[in-house]
């Protein structure tokens, strides 16, 4: 890892401050807290009841980036959890065993509610059953059917709306003591849609050559506010407005993507990446890309909390519960493999990328199962080469820097060869 | 009643089990032009609707211990369980070429995504991801599930080119009720007389039910029970265990044999829940969709793939099974990398520990070959129960 000072933009500082503020709110002891998941999270609905949103995946990520998750995972394994299962779950359970300390150094309160938004990931269901064993707190399930045929049916939408009306909202009312106000929800949804427009603008800015952003490593920062606790707020709107201005300035200046070491000098390779990043060696992983002049122009991970740029979804205040249903149904991992292939192939074509890189995550079958077939399908559709690396989310034992670097170098060579043979044009 | 011996019946079942070309299902299809076969993965699909469409529901439980997976490993990473890769191997080597459609129940992300692989690779086949509700209220999950069943019915009507009437489904419900009753009788018989119905035999008998038409399988179970009851076999001083966690990828037959050889009578298991998923007869009159929905919502078994709303009821199915079968202990046997089984296991263990019920855990793959460690572990477990269980 480089000792160089980390270069950050103003928006990154704002984003960090927002995430920190949410942790301060959660640990203040002054608000009700619901644990819930990133994909299909119902932030606008929780805000209607003044309930703070605590996301265990984000906690695991925070611990991984602070190099704490490895010991937490082993703690969970010592208490009987299998080596084979999701390391987000084990990092969470291990964190509890080690005092349940939030990234701000204060203890997490026991949640008042587990809102089990069962969207796009089977493990979520077991995860909150396991947490319920510890916290013994109310748990409410929102089952989101899988969009197996590539489209949403009225039956799926009705099922979710009914669950919201008959299970989720009554539970939130009971926990909070606040009566549900649908107009309050509409107002939050209206604000969500404004921020979502700017989010999509940000994603699509990577079509520029050179791309002003990295939409994977940088993208995880950019998507932070909207996929966590801020969608539906004025500060979220302000954040994406600020981000848009920053990116526009970069476009105007013709700058390459920003990295922790400053602006990339040259954009040699434009990639689309499928799968979450590795968090335990996030900086080292990123460095392998930007040192080679590779920028990620689109990634499926920036759709994990909601897909806005594929079929133009925006939260719709005119149909508040139905729009929450559509949002949950549309998250990336809730879409079938042919749809995911189509999204990735379109990204490669529309963003003029050199190919698809898959970072296959040991912990995450929702993403990983089927990725080898997806890669071949995307190659067939685009004629661009694919490559496959394997890491894990938050378990440092499954990040082999040398192997990943070797694979990446080989991949970049493959792209060069393709170019020499008359394939992709050199980026920018 | 037939005079077939246990040996004859088990040999027949073994042949069906080992036949990865599914000859019996192919013969069924070839016997009448236009017949269709619908494959299904574990844990539960409403076979009644497939049967009512005049089609053969064919249980696909992977390639087993003896199939060499050559192509399948190119489709799956090393950290994903074996059943999808051997199932893909079956398909791309043409062993499922006669199968007209596949159903993938909502059991985990791997099986879910396998439905997508089928959509990508076998575009001419009918593919149905079968999403069962995790909300068990009639007016919420029930309405959703009823519509899913209607969609399934319409899909099969389109595939089969004929309407499926309520009378068709009610007739099938009746046949599957009968089949389930005999499945339960076999399980009861094994629990009562485990030395007369070794688990490897019961397993093969149930596996035959994944391939044979339901009526034929019911007759086979009747014949087996009559033959097993008539046969005299030595009683062994084994302990009684419930085996749980093996509801999807199946253990090798040798593992089941090894457990009994090591001193553990398996008196209940969750190998093929599809044939015991519904805990009561489904009414065979009235609206069949409604009846199947109510049976699923209110009278179905528990597996890790099903959300348990009430923390106090979590694990009750296992505890009730232990009590009902008078089991001495539990073997948690889960396939490697099986998220549902392995994530659920700590919760179930906490329930059996609280009741001081002995247990062991083990992991397997469908092609696990080394049984010596299994025998040693199970043997030690059986000895500890026999020596100190009553203390």
């Amino acid at each position: 890892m480089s000792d160089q000072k980390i270069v950050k933009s103003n928006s990154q500082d704002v984003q960090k401050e927002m995430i920190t503020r949410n942790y301060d709110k959660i640990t203040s002891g002054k608000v009700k807290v619901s644990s819930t998941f990133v994909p299909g999270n119902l932030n606008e609905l929780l805000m209607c009841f003044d309930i703070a949103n605590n996301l265990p995946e984000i906690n695991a990520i925070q611990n991984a980036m602070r190099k704490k998750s490895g010991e937490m995972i082993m703690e969970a394994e010592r208490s009987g959890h299998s080596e084979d299962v999701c390391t987000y779950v084990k990092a969470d359970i291990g964190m509890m065993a080690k005092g349940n300390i939030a990234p701000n150094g204060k203890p997490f309160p026991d949640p008042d509610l587990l809102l089990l938004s069962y969207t796009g990931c089977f493990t979520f269901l077991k995860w909150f059953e396991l947490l319920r064993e510890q916290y013994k707190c109310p748990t409410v399930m929102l089952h989101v059917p899988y969009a197996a045929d590539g489209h949403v049916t009225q039956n799926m939408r009705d099922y979710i709306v009914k669950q919201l009306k008959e299970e989720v909202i009554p539970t939130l009312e009971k926990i909070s003591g606040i009566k549900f106000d649908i107009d309050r929800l509409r107002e939050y949804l209206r604000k969500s849609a404004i921020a979502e427009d700017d989010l999509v603008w940000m994603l699509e800015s990577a079509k520029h050559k050179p791309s002003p952003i990295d939409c994977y490593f940088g993208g995880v920062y950019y998507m932070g506010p909207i996929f966590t606790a801020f969608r539906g707020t004025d500060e979220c709107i302000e954040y994406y407005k600020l981000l848009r201005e920053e990116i526009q300035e970069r476009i105007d200046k013709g700058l390459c993507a920003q990295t922790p070491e400053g602006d990339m000098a040259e954009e040699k390779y434009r990639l689309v990446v499928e799968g979450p990043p590795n968090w335990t060696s996030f900086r080292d992983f990123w460095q392998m890309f930007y040192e080679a002049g590779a920028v990620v122009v689109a990634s499926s991970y920036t759709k994990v909390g909601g897909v806005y740029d594929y079929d133009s979804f925006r939260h719709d205040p005119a149909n508040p519960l139905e729009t929450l249903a559509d949002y949950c149904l549309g998250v990336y991992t809730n879409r079938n493999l042919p749809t995911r292939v189509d999204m990735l192939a379109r990204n490669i074509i529309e963003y003029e990328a050199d190919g698809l890189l898959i970072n296959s995550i040991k912990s995450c079958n929702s993403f990983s199962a089927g990725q080898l077939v997806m890669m071949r399908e995307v190659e067939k559709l685009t004629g661009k080469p694919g490559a496959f690396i394997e890491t894990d989310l938050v378990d440092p034992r499954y990040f082999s820097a040398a192997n990943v670097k070797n694979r990446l170098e080989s991949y970049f060579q493959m792209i060069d060869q393709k170019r020499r043979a008359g394939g992709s044009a050199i980026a920018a | 009643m037939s005079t077939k011996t246990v040996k004859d019946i088990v040999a027949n079942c073994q042949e069906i089990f080992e036949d990865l070309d599914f000859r019996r299902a192919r013969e069924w299809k070839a016997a009448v032009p236009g017949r269709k076969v619908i494959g299904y993965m574990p844990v539960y699909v409403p076979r009644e609707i497939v049967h009512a469409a005049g089609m053969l529901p064919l249980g696909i439980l992977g390639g087993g211990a003896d199939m060499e997976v050559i192509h399948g490993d190119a489709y799956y990473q090393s950290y994903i369980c074996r059943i999808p890769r051997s199932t893909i191997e079956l398909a791309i080597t043409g062993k499922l070429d006669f199968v007209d459609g596949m159903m993938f129940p909502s059991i985990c992300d791997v099986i879910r995504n396998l439905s997508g692989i089928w959509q990508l690779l076998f575009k001419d086949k009918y593919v149905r991801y079968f999403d069962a509700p995790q909300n068990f209220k009639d007016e919420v999950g029930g309405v959703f599930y009823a519509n899913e069943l209607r969609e399934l019915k319409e899909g099969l009507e389109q595939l089969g080119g004929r309407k499926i009437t309520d009378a068709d489904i009610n007739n099938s419900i009746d046949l599957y009720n009968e089949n389930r009753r005999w499945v339960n009788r076999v399980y009861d018989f094994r629990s009562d007389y485990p030395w007369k119905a070794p688990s490897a035999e019961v397993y093969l008998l149930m596996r035959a039910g994944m391939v044979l038409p339901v009526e034929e399988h019911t007759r086979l179970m009747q014949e087996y029970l009559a033959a097993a009851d008539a046969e005299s076999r030595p009683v062994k001083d084994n302990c009684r265990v419930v085996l749980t966690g093996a509801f999807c990828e199946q253990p090798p037959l040798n593992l089941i044999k090894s457990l009994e050889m090591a001193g553990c009578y398996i008196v209940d298991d969750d190998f093929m829940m599809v044939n015991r998923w519904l805990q009561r007869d489904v009414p065979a009159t009235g609206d069949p969709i409604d009846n199947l929905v109510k049976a699923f919502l209110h009278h179905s078994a528990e597996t890790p793939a099903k959300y348990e709303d009430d923390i106090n009821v979590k694990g009750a199915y296992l505890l009730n099974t232990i009590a009902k079968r008078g089991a001495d202990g539990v073997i948690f046997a889960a396939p490697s990398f099986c998220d549902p089984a392995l994530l659920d296991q700590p919760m179930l263990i906490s329930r059996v520990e609280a009741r001081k019920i002995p247990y062991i855990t083990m992991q397997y793959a469908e092609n696990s070959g080394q049984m010596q460690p299994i025998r040693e572990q199970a043997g030690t477990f059986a000895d500890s129960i026999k020596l100190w269980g009553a203390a």
Side-chain angles (χ1 to χ4, degrees):
Chain A
M1 165 126 19
S2 167
D3 293 330
Q4 206 176 332
K5 187 175 179 297
I6 295 172
V7 176
K8 282 186 179 173
S9 64
N10 191 19
S11 66
Q12 272 180 296
D13 288 332
V14 172
Q15 184 263 7
K16 189 177 178 189
E17 187 273 327
M18 289 168 83
I19 302 291
T20 304
R21 192 145 34 87
N22 191 50
Y23 277 119
D24 288 341
K25 185 178 174 186
I26 292 167
T27 54
S28 68
K30 293 176 184 166
V31 292
K32 301 275 187 187
V33 175
S34 170
S35 289
T36 192
F37 295 109
V38 170
N41 77 65
L42 302 173
N43 195 51
E44 298 90 343
L45 192 63
L46 287 171
M47 288 198 299
C48 290
F49 301 93
D50 297 335
I51 294 176
N53 166 342
N54 185 13
L55 301 156
E57 306 105 303
I58 305 297
N59 301 339
I61 291 168
Q62 294 280 340
N63 284 322
M65 294 181 95
R66 290 169 168 79
K67 310 286 183 197
K68 292 178 175 175
S69 58
E71 183 49 41
M72 290 169 174
I73 289 164
M74 285 193 275
E75 180 74 30
E77 288 174 359
R78 280 193 289 273
S79 69
H81 292 270
S82 169
E83 274 188 39
D84 290 358
V85 300
C86 174
T87 51
Y88 270 168
V89 178
K90 287 184 289 188
D92 197 21
I93 287 168
M95 181 180 74
M96 289 164 71
K98 287 180 164 296
N100 222 10
I101 305 298
N104 64 359
K106 296 175 187 168
F108 277 117
D110 285 0
D112 298 283
L113 174 71
L114 298 171
L115 172 52
L116 202 183
S117 53
Y118 177 37
T119 307
C121 169
F122 170 82
T123 298
F124 288 167
L125 191 158
K126 294 289 111 184
W127 190 343
F128 271 13
E129 279 191 344
L130 284 162
L131 292 198
R132 185 178 62 179
E133 301 274 307
Q134 305 274 332
Y135 292 123
K136 310 261 187 304
C137 67
T139 305
V140 64
M141 148 77 90
L142 177 68
H143 174 205
V144 176
Y146 184 57
D149 293 326
H151 60 267
V152 168
T153 66
Q154 194 57 41
N155 188 38
M156 295 174 184
R157 188 177 290 119
D158 290 347
Y159 176 43
I160 297 173
V161 169
K162 263 192 206 169
Q163 290 177 84
L164 291 172
K165 282 182 180 170
E166 297 186 25
E167 308 279 357
V168 178
I169 290 172
T171 305
L172 294 172
E173 283 181 326
K174 197 172 160 191
I175 298 289
S176 66
I178 294 171
K179 191 157 174 50
F180 176 55
D181 176 356
I182 200 161
D183 290 326
R184 190 175 169 187
L185 177 62
R186 286 181 207 277
E187 180 58 13
Y188 291 140
L189 294 170
R190 186 186 66 77
K191 291 178 181 176
S192 294
I194 295 169
E196 286 159 357
D197 279 342
D198 280 339
L199 176 86
V200 172
W201 185 92
M202 176 274 287
L203 294 171
E204 294 184 344
S205 72
K207 288 179 182 173
H208 282 88
K209 286 187 173 182
S211 171
I213 60 167
D214 183 286
C215 211
Y216 187 53
F217 298 103
V220 300
Y221 293 101
Y222 305 144
M223 71 190 203
I226 209 157
F227 287 167
T228 58
F230 296 93
R231 204 181 55 244
T233 65
D234 289 324
E235 52 200 322
C236 190
I237 294 172
E238 289 306 312
Y239 168 80
Y240 285 99
K241 198 173 149 201
L242 171 68
L243 179 63
R244 183 169 178 160
E245 286 165 4
E246 272 183 11
I247 293 171
Q248 185 60 56
E249 195 181 331
R250 300 184 69 78
I251 294 168
D252 295 342
K253 290 180 177 170
L255 295 175
C256 294
Q258 187 196 324
T259 77
E261 295 178 28
D263 301 328
M264 273 174 60
E266 187 186 2
E267 180 181 285
K268 290 185 189 165
Y269 308 104
R270 294 168 65 85
L271 305 178
V272 171
V273 174
E274 148 78 8
N278 163 269
W279 299 104
T280 53
S281 301
F282 185 81
R283 174 80 188 278
D284 295 344
F285 193 24
W286 190 354
Q287 195 172 21
M288 292 175 197
F289 287 71
Y290 63 72
E291 282 188 349
V295 64
V296 180
V297 291
S299 67
S300 56
Y301 191 63
T302 47
K303 326 287 165 67
V304 74
V307 174
Y308 299 100
D309 62 341
Y310 180 65
D311 34 23
S312 305
F313 171 81
R314 299 288 183 278
H315 279 95
D316 173 14
N319 299 290
L321 298 183
E322 292 77 6
T323 205
L324 290 178
D326 286 346
Y327 163 68
C328 292
L329 284 159
V331 302
Y332 181 73
T333 51
N334 204 53
R335 294 173 183 252
N336 70 353
L337 263 50
T339 306
R340 285 169 58 182
V341 165
D342 185 54
M343 287 171 77
L344 293 167
R346 278 204 217 177
N347 280 165
I348 287 173
I349 293 162
E350 291 171 8
Y351 287 71
E352 297 183 58
D354 295 297
L356 173 71
L357 175 73
I358 294 182
N359 182 34
S360 186
I361 293 292
K362 172 187 174 283
S363 274
C364 186
N365 286 335
S366 182
F367 262 105
S368 300
Q371 280 176 329
L372 284 158
V373 177
M374 287 171 65
M375 184 175 74
R376 289 193 281 271
E377 292 293 313
V378 171
E379 283 177 332
K380 267 195 272 178
L381 287 169
T382 63
K384 298 292 170 76
F388 206 83
I389 54 175
E390 295 182 35
T391 70
D392 188 50
L393 295 165
V394 293
D395 191 338
R397 295 171 296 186
Y398 294 97
F399 185 82
S400 169
N403 282 343
V404 171
K405 199 163 193 302
N406 279 343
R407 289 271 182 105
L408 287 176
E409 284 171 356
S410 302
Y411 184 46
F412 298 140
Q413 285 170 12
M414 194 200 306
I415 292 171
D416 288 338
Q417 282 168 6
K418 275 271 220 185
R419 281 175 181 161
R420 281 196 293 273
S424 310
I426 294 171
Chain B
M1 187 56 72
S2 161
T3 55
K4 283 182 186 164
T5 64
V6 167
K7 195 177 167 191
D8 293 336
I9 296 164
V10 172
N12 179 26
C13 293
Q14 177 101 28
E15 189 189 329
I16 295 169
F17 170 70
E18 289 173 356
D19 174 23
L20 293 178
D21 285 313
F22 303 100
R23 182 179 57 80
R24 300 291 291 270
R26 287 176 188 271
E27 285 171 0
W28 178 89
K29 181 173 176 173
V32 178
R35 275 184 169 176
K36 306 272 186 206
V37 176
I38 301 292
Y40 62 90
M41 302 288 294
V43 172
Y44 170 75
V45 297
R47 295 182 296 179
E48 292 86 343
I49 297 178
V50 180
H51 182 271
M55 301 176 188
L56 179 71
L58 176 69
I60 304 293
L61 293 102
D66 297 328
M67 190 176 78
E68 190 180 2
V69 171
I70 297 167
H71 306 89
D73 284 339
Y75 289 78
Y76 282 100
Q77 302 89 316
S78 57
Y79 50 78
I80 290 176
C81 56
R82 195 168 190 273
I83 186 171
R85 71 189 72 225
S86 63
T87 302
I88 278 284
E89 185 83 16
L90 286 172
I92 59 180
T93 53
K95 295 184 189 312
L96 299 179
D97 56 0
F98 69 104
V99 175
D100 302 280
M102 280 288 287
M103 292 174 69
F104 300 88
S106 52
I107 173 171
C108 71
D109 295 330
V110 172
I111 299 298
R112 183 196 72 180
N113 287 7
L114 186 59
S115 72
I117 290 183
W118 233 263
Q119 288 168 326
L120 288 167
L121 298 185
F122 309 107
K123 291 188 168 71
D124 58 328
K125 302 285 186 185
Y126 171 81
V127 178
R128 178 82 191 171
Y129 175 72
F130 186 70
D131 216 348
Q134 297 286 1
N135 176 295
F136 299 94
K137 288 186 177 167
D138 291 288
E139 69 279 12
V140 185
V143 172
F144 167 74
Y145 189 50
N147 287 327
E148 288 292 299
L149 291 185
R150 285 187 196 102
E151 266 188 37
L152 169 66
K153 177 172 155 284
E154 285 162 16
L156 294 176
E157 284 175 340
Q158 214 168 352
L159 182 69
R162 73 165 176 86
K163 282 277 170 202
I164 304 168
T165 66
D166 283 0
D168 291 332
I169 306 177
N170 278 329
N171 176 54
S172 300
I173 286 174
D174 204 27
L175 289 169
Y176 277 95
N177 281 341
E178 174 79 352
N179 184 267
R180 215 161 27 246
R181 283 196 288 270
W182 283 97
V183 167
N184 289 329
R185 278 176 199 156
V186 171
Y187 269 74
D188 290 344
F189 180 79
R190 178 180 64 169
S191 178
D192 291 342
Y193 311 102
W195 61 94
K196 287 189 170 211
S199 284
E201 289 182 5
V202 171
Y203 181 79
L204 289 170
L205 189 62
M206 296 305 155
R207 280 295 293 256
M210 301 295 103
V211 177
L212 298 174
V214 60
E215 305 89 332
E216 206 176 320
H217 183 235
T218 300
R219 278 197 301 278
L220 194 64
M221 289 190 289
Q222 291 165 346
E223 289 168 356
Y224 176 80
L225 274 183
D229 195 31
E231 198 158 309
S232 176
R233 290 174 164 187
V235 179
K236 292 179 188 167
D237 186 27
N238 283 3
C239 69
R240 300 166 62 83
V241 301
V242 171
L243 185 145
T244 188
F247 45 84
C248 184
E249 181 175 320
Q250 298 291 288
L253 188 62
N254 273 344
L255 188 147
I256 298 168
K257 287 179 181 170
S258 295
L259 294 178
E260 290 209 338
M261 282 166 61
C264 298
Y265 279 137
I266 300 170
V267 292
D268 213 313
D269 61 64
D270 58 359
F271 293 140
M272 276 154 280
M273 290 304 291
V274 68
N275 62 18
R276 298 195 299 149
W277 181 256
L278 302 179
Q279 304 282 289
R280 297 184 188 175
D281 276 0
V282 181
T285 55
D287 181 345
I289 298 291
D290 193 44
N291 289 332
L292 285 168
V293 168
K294 284 195 165 55
F296 180 91
L297 294 180
H298 306 303
H299 307 297
S300 57
E302 188 183 302
T303 73
K306 184 175 162 186
Y307 177 61
E308 176 47 67
D309 187 45
D310 184 351
I311 191 172
N312 298 311
V313 178
K314 180 78 193 170
Y317 180 79
L318 176 62
L319 295 175
N320 291 340
T321 304
I322 294 166
K324 179 183 167 190
R325 299 301 188 197
D328 304 307
V330 182
I331 295 179
F332 289 97
S336 294
F337 305 108
C338 176
D339 277 344
L342 293 170
L343 285 164
D344 210 53
Q345 201 176 83
M347 292 182 273
L348 295 181
I349 284 177
S350 74
R351 270 59 175 182
V352 300
E353 274 183 346
R355 287 155 184 82
K356 300 193 185 329
I357 299 167
Y359 69 90
I360 52 173
T361 66
M362 57 179 65
Q363 279 184 220
Y364 64 84
E366 61 180 9
N367 64 335
S368 293
Q370 286 294 324
M371 289 303 142
Q372 187 58 26
I374 299 284
R375 272 199 291 274
E376 284 171 8
Q377 189 187 8
T380 307
F381 183 54
D383 289 347
S384 71
I385 287 173
K386 284 288 168 192
L387 290 173
W388 296 294

